[in-house]
Amino acid sequence: RPAGQRVVRPVGYSARYARAADGTEALITSDHDRPARLLIYAPDGTLRADRDLTDVLPPRRLAAADPALSSGLSFTADGRTLYFVAIDLDPTYQASRLYRYDVARDRLTVAAADLRGPGGSISPDGRTYLFARAADDHHDLAALDLATGAVRVLRASEPGHYISNPRFSPDGARVVATDSGPHRFLIQVLDAASGRLLQTLPTGDAPVHDPSWVDDQRIIYLGPASGSAGFQVYRHDLTTARTDLVSEAPYLAFEPRAAGGRAVRFLNREGWQWTLDEVTAPAAAAPVPAPPIPTSPAPPPPPPGTAVPPPPAPAVPPPPAPAPAPVANVVATNDRGPYHTLDDLFTPRLHGLTLQTLGRAATMYGVVLSGADRLEHHRWTLAGYYQPENGGAASGQIGYANRQLAPLTIQLSAAEFSFHDVLPGTNLSTTDTLSYPLYRRDRIAELSLARLFYDNPVALGFAYSESYRPGDPDVVLENRRLAGPNLQAAFTGVEATPYTGARRLFSAEGMLAAYPRQWNTTGDSFVDARAALAATVPLPLLRRHTLTLAARGRDLIGATHPLLTLGGYLGAVIARRSDQPEHKVPDLGIAPGFDFTESLRGFEDFPLVARRVVIGDATYRYPFIIDHGWSSTLWVLPSLFVSEIDLELFGSAARAPVAAATNHVAAGGALTLRLWMWVVPLDFQYQLARRLNDDRALTHLVTLGM
């Protein structure tokens, strides 16, 4: 920092800033371990309000709060009311909601459900809100009458031009805004009543941004500075046409606002954080030449008619990119004419190798292909697998998704896995494990119709599953078939940070599936009913630790045979040790397409079988952040990033009539190392658990989750 630039306060790794005429300040900010929240500071710098912005319980005013999705922070002239726009969830799409915050009452309300564009500013009298309204291939300057809800376009832009950051002058008579078009950026002064162009600042078409008023005659804005590492603050006097350089921020300045007299405050980037800094503008300085005209092209316009997030913090304009080398058989998408359903539909967009481990000892090697048409109305995937042992066996999968009825999605998937397995209890370390192979065939098919409401899924489907295992002494039925319709719905409200994950959470989900006697081989008709609730809350004293409480209930209504498996291994077991022998239960012979399982922590090596169950879980979690990585692992392998080590203390209890016991309780702790190898997340977990009843075993378990 130069000597004249001082830090007012740190404001987190993402922030938006506003200042009222009386010196009241507002910040929408978030940090690695702090959620998106609104901070209000009095003119003397004391904190007046600090409130989280994300609602997790319905009805939710703001479900997806994020400083990067906020714009147009602006106070009324008296500093009592703050307005801002945030991109949030709507029933189907996203919406640019206008919010009103009453500082004295600490009350946040929705002032307009959807502005269809980023925010600008409130008029000094609090009656009109200016914003940029998306319209086809441009953004118009629009005004919202807060009393009536009427929207009036003050100035229509030409095609390819985008108005942004419109701000009222202190007297409310004029507006300053940025007009970005093809290869040029302009700062314009407009009449507030008619939208008529009054003046264009002499910025030389440089990539200028975010203008605001010092007083009724002076404007500050961001622009590149010669020899500077980033964007800096300029001040322009409309009367004298003088432009002065105000800041020399080490990296870049963002969202400059006048702070009384000659002081200017702005967001200053420092490492992974923003700080609110202050400088004093020169009283009288020699004119600064207009910033140079950039040679790099302007970014493409956003899709027409959509809610557009506010522009990110500006960066230094890159130098002109060298002309790319010619590539054969490349055709630009926008030169291909009207869309057709078959465009690129049968051209794989993804291909790769894969493998499947099935049954007790089967490994299948395969190839996966995936593709879609140009607009992704149709998506498909194909996979083929082969087991080379014992003469070979082939399997395959197919999937298809249709979005032509959006927001509805129709999905169809089917698979058949045919492979050779081994007898139970076979010594897998010997070379003759397949000398007496067992044939197994699993068939799975599913059809579903789904859509999202406020990003929460509701799905109606039909599923079919068949598992054929002739000669397998472990299964109850040699040929197990299940089929029937199902209905599923879920709600999740969550406030999260990069370091804590879910910090506040409420989730609820329910499922009903019917299996008529005519479509299954169990000999009866039954209904699978499931419900689950979960809540996560932050704990006092430390920022990062949380407590999660969850409850689940499931009942196979009308079933005469127990088909639910409680517990069992969820990840790949690396090592295990227990002071009691591992508990075995009969193989129910259900193909992987049907999830008749409920996890039960502490019972990984002691699975239970039941018809109904109620489960409660409590988990304390504290993450130890590492955040360190290497671009190459051991110089030859892909990149490796070590994220964190999670400490968990847990307790789990299930109430299910199994054998002689009804209650099944365990408690313990776990350490989980979370890392990424290339783009693959890997979780290595060590867990120590004690079962408090049943066999009272003390178990050590090391697993790998991918």
Side-chain angles (χ1 to χ4, degrees):
R1 288 181 175 82
Q5 180 178 331
R6 72 177 184 92
V7 178
V8 179
R9 64 180 65 93
V11 295
Y13 84 92
S14 184
R16 291 291 186 268
Y17 171 63
R19 184 179 173 92
D22 67 351
T24 302
E25 293 179 311
L27 284 160
I28 294 179
T29 177
S30 62
D31 213 336
H32 295 93
D33 50 11
R34 296 293 297 271
R37 65 196 198 277
L38 175 63
L39 306 177
I40 303 294
Y41 289 90
D44 62 1
T46 59
L47 182 62
R48 294 186 58 184
D50 182 350
R51 61 172 293 155
D52 292 343
L53 286 176
T54 304
D55 291 326
V56 300
L57 293 173
R60 296 183 291 174
R61 289 183 302 270
L62 185 52
D66 190 330
L69 299 179
S70 305
S71 62
L73 275 73
S74 177
F75 281 100
T76 53
D78 56 14
R80 296 179 179 178
T81 309
L82 174 74
Y83 287 84
F84 65 92
V85 172
I87 294 181
D88 197 23
L89 304 177
D90 222 20
T92 302
Y93 304 105
Q94 292 179 328
S96 293
R97 300 198 202 287
L98 176 63
Y99 290 89
R100 178 193 297 113
Y101 178 67
D102 188 315
V103 177
R105 298 181 180 179
D106 187 25
R107 184 184 179 193
L108 183 68
T109 56
V110 177
D114 190 2
L115 296 183
R116 290 180 50 203
S121 68
I122 187 70
S123 60
D125 59 11
R127 296 180 178 179
T128 305
Y129 189 82
L130 284 180
F131 63 100
R133 190 173 183 86
D136 298 325
D137 60 352
H138 58 280
H139 284 179
D140 297 330
L141 176 62
L144 169 69
D145 188 313
L146 291 169
T148 65
V151 174
R152 179 169 64 98
V153 174
L154 293 181
R155 183 177 180 83
S157 298
E158 299 176 359
H161 285 254
Y162 300 89
I163 291 285
S164 63
N165 300 110
R167 296 193 176 275
F168 279 105
S169 60
D171 61 8
R174 288 168 296 173
V175 174
V176 64
T178 303
D179 181 346
S180 57
H183 308 289
R184 70 168 186 167
F185 299 79
L186 303 175
I187 292 181
Q188 299 176 334
V189 179
L190 311 169
D191 181 75
S194 64
R196 178 172 57 90
L197 177 63
L198 301 178
Q199 189 174 348
T200 299
L201 271 61
T203 58
D205 293 344
V208 290
H209 178 61
D210 199 15
S212 62
W213 298 85
V214 177
D215 50 38
D216 289 327
Q217 296 301 322
R218 293 179 296 172
I219 294 171
I220 53 176
Y221 63 90
L222 294 178
S226 176
S228 171
F231 275 63
Q232 301 297 341
V233 182
Y234 288 86
R235 182 186 62 191
H236 180 80
D237 191 311
L238 298 176
T239 303
T240 65
R242 180 189 299 273
T243 300
D244 298 319
L245 179 65
V246 174
S247 72
E248 296 180 5
Y251 179 55
L252 63 83
F254 186 45
E255 295 199 328
R257 301 292 182 263
R262 292 189 288 120
V264 175
R265 292 187 175 183
F266 57 88
L267 297 179
N268 175 86
R269 193 64 180 178
E270 181 177 357
W272 291 106
Q273 302 286 319
W274 291 101
T275 59
L276 179 64
D277 284 22
E278 181 178 289
V279 295
T280 300
V288 176
I293 300 175
T295 55
S296 56
T306 58
V308 179
V316 181
V327 180
N329 300 323
V330 173
V331 182
T333 302
N334 59 358
D335 292 335
R336 298 177 58 182
Y339 163 76
H340 190 276
T341 303
L342 299 180
D343 288 347
D344 298 331
L345 178 59
F346 302 109
T347 302
R349 296 190 180 186
L350 177 148
H351 61 276
L353 303 178
T354 185
L355 61 84
Q356 287 271 14
T357 55
L358 301 169
R360 303 182 188 94
T363 301
M364 308 192 76
Y365 306 91
V367 176
V368 174
L369 301 176
S370 180
D373 65 278
R374 259 204 294 170
L375 297 184
E376 296 194 356
H377 288 174
H378 308 270
R379 302 185 67 180
W380 58 267
T381 181
L382 292 172
Y385 301 91
Y386 185 73
Q387 181 190 30
E389 294 90 356
N390 202 56
S395 302
Q397 283 179 295
I398 184 172
Y400 170 73
N402 185 298
R403 294 297 305 276
Q404 289 178 297
L405 300 178
L408 297 176
T409 299
I410 302 173
Q411 292 191 107
L412 172 65
S413 61
E416 177 175 301
F417 292 98
S418 300
F419 57 95
H420 299 289
D421 209 349
V422 298
L423 283 168
T426 303
N427 184 359
L428 301 181
S429 63
T430 64
T431 58
D432 60 346
T433 55
L434 292 178
S435 59
Y436 179 48
L438 295 175
Y439 176 73
R440 175 172 169 178
R441 184 191 67 213
D442 291 336
R443 289 175 175 171
I444 310 155
E446 184 173 4
L447 174 66
S448 70
L449 178 65
R451 71 153 294 173
L452 299 177
F453 293 91
Y454 293 96
D455 246 15
N456 293 298
V458 176
L460 176 66
F462 184 90
Y464 171 89
S465 171
E466 180 184 359
S467 184
Y468 178 52
R469 307 189 194 179
D472 193 330
D474 242 13
V475 298
V476 178
L477 287 178
E478 188 177 83
N479 187 14
R480 173 82 74 180
R481 183 175 67 250
L482 292 169
N486 58 76
L487 175 64
Q488 304 179 57
F491 168 85
T492 301
V494 61
E495 173 193 80
T497 74
Y499 280 177
T500 63
R503 181 178 177 271
R504 290 190 300 133
L505 174 143
F506 173 77
S507 68
E509 56 184 271
M511 182 270 291
L512 281 174
Y515 300 100
R517 179 186 298 106
Q518 299 85 348
W519 297 345
N520 66 64
T521 57
T522 61
D524 49 24
S525 298
F526 66 95
V527 173
D528 183 8
R530 184 182 188 275
L533 292 172
T536 300
V537 294
L539 298 176
L541 302 180
L542 301 175
R543 286 188 182 181
R544 299 177 185 174
H545 60 168
T546 58
L547 176 66
T548 299
L549 301 176
R552 292 168 283 157
R554 193 164 183 178
D555 194 350
L556 303 185
I557 305 170
T560 57
H561 302 285
L563 296 176
L564 283 178
T565 300
L566 314 179
Y569 297 110
L570 296 180
V573 178
I574 299 176
R576 63 167 296 273
R577 191 179 71 186
S578 174
D579 58 3
Q580 298 294 330
E582 186 168 1
H583 181 61
K584 298 289 187 180
V585 297
D587 189 338
L588 300 178
I590 300 175
F594 280 73
D595 186 16
F596 282 102
T597 61
E598 291 291 337
S599 62
L600 187 57
R601 203 159 187 182
F603 286 78
E604 289 80 8
D605 62 335
F606 196 91
L608 308 169
V609 175
R611 282 195 295 269
R612 64 184 61 90
V613 66
V614 176
I615 300 174
D617 297 287
T619 305
Y620 168 86
R621 175 176 175 267
Y622 186 89
F624 294 91
I625 305 302
I626 299 174
D627 274 1
H628 191 76
W630 300 266
S631 58
S632 180
T633 306
L634 300 176
W635 299 280
V636 293
L637 298 176
S639 60
L640 177 67
F641 178 76
V642 182
S643 176
E644 63 195 65
I645 295 177
D646 289 348
L647 167 66
E648 291 180 315
L649 303 176
F650 66 88
S652 60
R655 185 171 180 84
V658 178
T662 299
N663 299 318
H664 313 275
V665 184
L671 290 173
T672 305
L673 172 64
R674 303 190 186 279
L675 52 87
W676 292 73
M677 173 70 77
W678 185 44
V679 296
V680 180
L682 303 175
D683 295 339
F684 293 91
Q685 184 180 88
Y686 165 72
Q687 176 179 292
L688 175 66
R690 165 75 78 177
R691 286 191 283 275
L692 304 183
N693 50 15
D694 294 296
D695 64 349
R696 299 184 178 274
L698 180 66
T699 63
H700 304 259
L701 183 64
V702 180
T703 59
L704 168 63
M706 298 180 63

